[in-house]
Amino acid sequence: MKVSAYIMRVGETGEVYQGYLAETDTALLELGDIYSLGGGLIVACVEDAVIQGETLNRAFYGKDGKFRTVLAGNLAAARYDGGGFRSISKEDIALLEKTLKPVECIAYGKVCLKASSALPEWEGK
């Protein structure tokens, strides 16, 4: 089964790309570690990607604006209701852009962010 997911890619040389909406097979989402953003939104990612040294991709900030965690490697956001994956809506994308912010680096215990508008577009979409 296919669903619309919001994809946030990292290139082979470590560049982080702008997110984009794409159809994806739910079997691919099931292969990843599922990280809940709350309200039915999830991000599928590689388990322990940060520890494994994958390129830092997005920092997750809660609705209260407080930092929660950093996610690394390729990411896919979708909806999950317990019975399976569902397509993401355009309204969800605005929330994702607000809560998942591109990471420049982590230095001296602080997460340094970069503007989403400064990210290149993924050529393969």
Side-chain angles (χ1 to χ4, degrees), residues 21-121:
L21 192 61
E23 292 294 308
T24 190
D25 192 318
T26 57
L28 294 174
L29 296 173
E30 291 169 357
L31 292 175
D33 188 37
I34 304 301
Y35 187 83
S36 175
L37 302 177
L41 284 173
I42 61 92
V43 173
C45 54
V46 175
E47 185 176 5
D48 295 330
V50 173
I51 295 167
Q52 293 177 32
E54 296 284 334
T55 300
L56 301 177
N57 192 334
R58 299 293 200 275
F60 171 50
Y61 289 80
K63 290 180 183 178
D64 59 3
K66 292 184 180 180
F67 171 76
R68 299 290 191 251
T69 192
V70 171
L71 302 171
N74 291 325
L75 309 171
R79 291 205 149 271
Y80 186 78
D81 64 9
F85 293 99
R86 304 287 180 251
S87 289
I88 204 160
S89 69
K90 291 189 180 188
E91 293 80 26
D92 293 331
I93 293 172
L95 178 61
L96 290 168
E97 288 290 326
K98 183 178 176 183
T99 60
L100 294 173
K101 299 178 182 185
V103 176
E104 177 77 38
C105 66
I106 297 176
Y108 305 105
K110 294 193 106 185
V111 178
C112 303
L113 304 174
K114 62 171 97 171
S116 293
S117 60
L119 301 176
E121 287 187 20

